[in-house]
Amino acid sequence: MKVEGTFVRSRVARRILALFMLCAFVPALTLALLTLGQVRNLLREQAHAQLVHASKAYGLNVYERLLLVHRDLQQMAADLREGTGLGGATPKMIPGTYASLSVVGPQARPVPILGEPLSWPQIGGPALTHLNANESVLVVEPASGAAPRIVLVQLIDPGRPERFALAAELNPVELWGAPDDFSEAVGVCVLAETGAKLFCSQPGPASDSASAASTVPEPARTSDATAQQAMIAGQWQLFLKPKFYAPSWTVIETEPVSAAIAPIEQFTRIFIGVTVLSLLLVALSSVVQVRRTMGPLEKLIDGIRRLAGADFTHQVEVSGSDEFGQLATAFNQMAARLGRQLDTLKVLSRIDQVILSKVDVDPVFALALTEIGALTPAGSAVIVVPESAAAGEARAYRLAADGQQISRITVAPPLLSRIAARPEGLWLDAADAAALKCALEPGAGRGGSLFVLPIMDRGNVCAFTCLALADPAPLADAVLAPLRELCDRVGVALSAAARDEQLIYQIRHDDLTGLPNRLLFKERLSQEVASARRDGRSLALLYVDLDRFKSVNDSLGHTAGDELLEQTAQRMRTCIRESDTLARLGGDEFAVVLTNISGPRAVSTVAEHIVEALSGPFVVGQHESYVSASIGIAICPTDGADSEDLLKKADTAMYRAKDAGRGRFVFFEERMNAEAVERLALERELRQALLRNEFSLHYQPQFDLRTGRITGAEALLRWTHPIRGLVAPSAFIAVAEDTGLIEEIGRRVLLDACAQHAAWQSAGLRPPRIAVNVSGRQFRRGDLVLLVEDALRRSGSAASALEIEVTESLFMDESANAVAMLDKLRQMGVQVAIDDFGTGYSSMSYLKRLPVDVLKVDQSFIADMTDNFDARAIAKAIIKLAQTLNKSVVAEGVETAEQVALLKRWRCHRVQGYYFSRPLAADRFAELLRQQQRPTEPQDEAVSMLPATDAAR
Ligand code: C2E
Ligand code: MG
Ligand code: MG
């Protein structure tokens, strides 16, 4: 078995291995040590017990011998007693038992029987009593340099007081035993009560240990440092007192511990061997087990790492069918599925990119078809996009070796309906398949089946994909699901493309007329200008603005206005060629580009046609309306070499056409540019004039024809130009209106007029009501009422001191919200007059409801009324109308006595004009007031004023 080292590097592997070892090693070792200790103790105790037993056996043996000697001595004593005393024959004795034998007495010289003579031992008292009882007394006599001598004393005749006794020194070999009787392993020692060593079977350490031995089986240590051997000792007490009247002896048997526990040594060796072997087995099996676990685990970890690094192709190879094998199989399947999904997602995101970045949807089909090829077992695939569902025309996209191919095919509408009805997909029958097979790769699907999956966009089939499959078995979910997702995304792409197309169309076309709008027009104009310049041709730009469209819009409503604009576009279309461009630039402005023109004559003809076409009546709803067109024409390259320039110049020419009386066309001329430049200069000067306070007010009195008294005054703006001197409003009011400067100018006029009224009053004069002209733009700002209040408050004038002059056009401008503001002003006490009445388009019935106090008949009617019947009729009608509506009426621009006479006849009593007074500077007006306030002769006041008015003229 091969153990690879890599897994040991794994921390988990090391941990598991250590755990395995710990679990096996610690209990085994503990058990081994405990068992060994236990067995060792047992052996030691057993050895001790044996030694005690042996000591006893040995002690009894020695006692037996002592008894034998005692009896022998008794016998000898009896023999001696019965014999002839000490001088008798030598007593019989057990041979070898005695080292020496003597007859001794306390006062007698010892008589040796055997060996060296022995002397009377030091005994007395109780020992003598013991002797007297015919017993032996054992005496241990120390011997210098040798083992003590054991002597037994036996009275020869206890009945005799001389006390002769036999003293026998025992032969140590007979008493203790011959050296051969003892084993080498076990030492035997006999100790006296004093501890003196009487006998030891072994010299040296054994005897030492015997002297040190205790009764416990603890190993004793010999004194020999070299041997340093632990010993076990067992002892037995030999009681000598009863029989031999001597202190007890201790018999000790000793044995080395090693000898005692010798059996365990082998056991230990086997035990350790077995333990080590089992540990090795444990280690080996752990290593194998850990390797079996860690190997697949590491492969799986590696696989996951690769997966994280987007490597979906790597397969984790784990053999076996255990959990790891199953995990690896599942992992491989998962990686493959993820890889597949990621590929699909990539394609989807690339489709999204195409959707977001391009209007052209074709690349989406190529991407989708490539993915379908990878995803499905289809031999060939095609995406069919119906173009006209009714006609069955469709585009078919297919991937060929040389890229994407688009072909036109016919898809029968019933087939399309069937595809739409089966969002889950449809297997085509032979008849249907025939129609589509031609779109597929040549030969594809032959013998196989066609599967169609619809591509939906908001519930409608916008396309479908058709797969040629060799096997007509249903597609697996794992294939069908991403295929559907792909189709959905293609649907989104198609929908987005359609929406983009729609949006682009909307951005570049006018909703109402369907004509190109300003954006597209500018693009086309730029293209046409560039191509005209390149080819050396001319083109004409016609800027067409409808006249009076606003009044139609205001009076008939926006729907009618829209209708009119649509009709205008239709009429204009009839006036131009296919190749020309007609556009609506916004509001009532149209533009035409006439390309490749032969000369101004041709342009004039088209312009004339347009003017003519638009001058006829428009029937909008129930109404018949009339609008005309003012056309400005600029020619490229004569008037401008780029589109912006041409547009500007055509626009300028168009304004000129309007100024010239509308309903006509005007070619741009260079001098128009000069005027435009002048206009700009005027605007700049006006701004400076505001900064430098160059504006002032003149006051033109209004008179009552019956009394001749001043009944009012109109404040008229004057500009004291640093170079040109006094400039009349007609020269700058229009520019001030266009630029919005009129708002600030008008504010100052209001403040000045009110302040002047207050000043005159403070000067003791009785100034009349002052009429101030207010522009429509001031109304549109929305703060006019506040402005008036402010002017009145600042000056301290009453609201009755002020009249506001507005023109009829104000009421046409809904955004000005004029009626509400005028109502408010009238509630405050300010009067409202309609200036230049009769030139606008006020409806008479509407007039009744307007918050107006005064009508000022336009001076054009007054000027013409003496010579022109129409003017006279209109002037008269206005005066009558005012009287009928119970409104005050002022005739302005009265210059002649005839006019005065007529007005008087028509009972128009309020007049204003040069006939009576020109507009006057404030001081001169004050003079006039003063003059009027002087007491006069009672006569016709109007006549009386004439000298004054003459002076004023
Ligand atoms: P309007 O309000 O109709 O003023 C009357 C104009 O007729 C004044 O011209 C006046 O001088 C002139 N006029 C008066 N009597 C006669 C006459 O008998 N014969 C002739 N031919 N003209 C006469 P002006 O001052 O040049 O003002 C022209 C217009 O400028 C005014 O017409 C008014 O619309 C506008 N305007 C004047 N001042 C202001 C102002 O402060 N604010 C605004 N928004 N417009 C003003
Ligand atoms: Mg006026
Ligand atoms: Mg006027």
Side-chain angles (χ1 to χ4, degrees), residues 685 689 694-696 698 717-729 731-732:
E685 284 177 347
E694 290 171 359
F695 295 110
S696 62
H698 280 199
L717 192 60
R718 294 295 178 264
W719 176 12
T720 314
H721 192 279
I723 301 161
R724 285 187 264 166
L726 213 60
V727 183
F732 64 86

Side-chain angles (χ1 to χ4, degrees), residues 714 716 773 805 807 834-837 856-859 892-893 912:
E714 180 175 7
L716 293 160
N773 294 284
E805 283 191 18
T807 56
I834 300 186
D835 204 355
D836 306 336
F837 190 79
K856 291 184 81 177
V857 185
D858 187 69
Q859 51 182 284
E892 59 175 347
Q912 176 186 349

Side-chain angles (χ1 to χ4, degrees), residues 468-522:
L469 295 161
D471 181 9
L475 292 175
D477 266 356
V479 174
L480 212 50
L483 183 64
R484 275 212 193 96
E485 206 171 339
L486 203 63
C487 288
D488 286 350
R489 202 55 63 100
V490 173
V492 173
L494 282 168
S495 162
R499 211 171 39 241
D500 284 354
E501 235 168 72
Q502 176 77 14
L503 269 177
I504 289 167
Y505 183 86
Q506 279 174 358
I507 287 168
R508 293 150 69 92
H509 287 82
D510 171 41
D511 275 354
L512 187 64
T513 58
L515 294 176
N517 61 11
R518 187 180 282 271
L519 189 78
L520 180 56
F521 178 74
K522 278 189 167 180

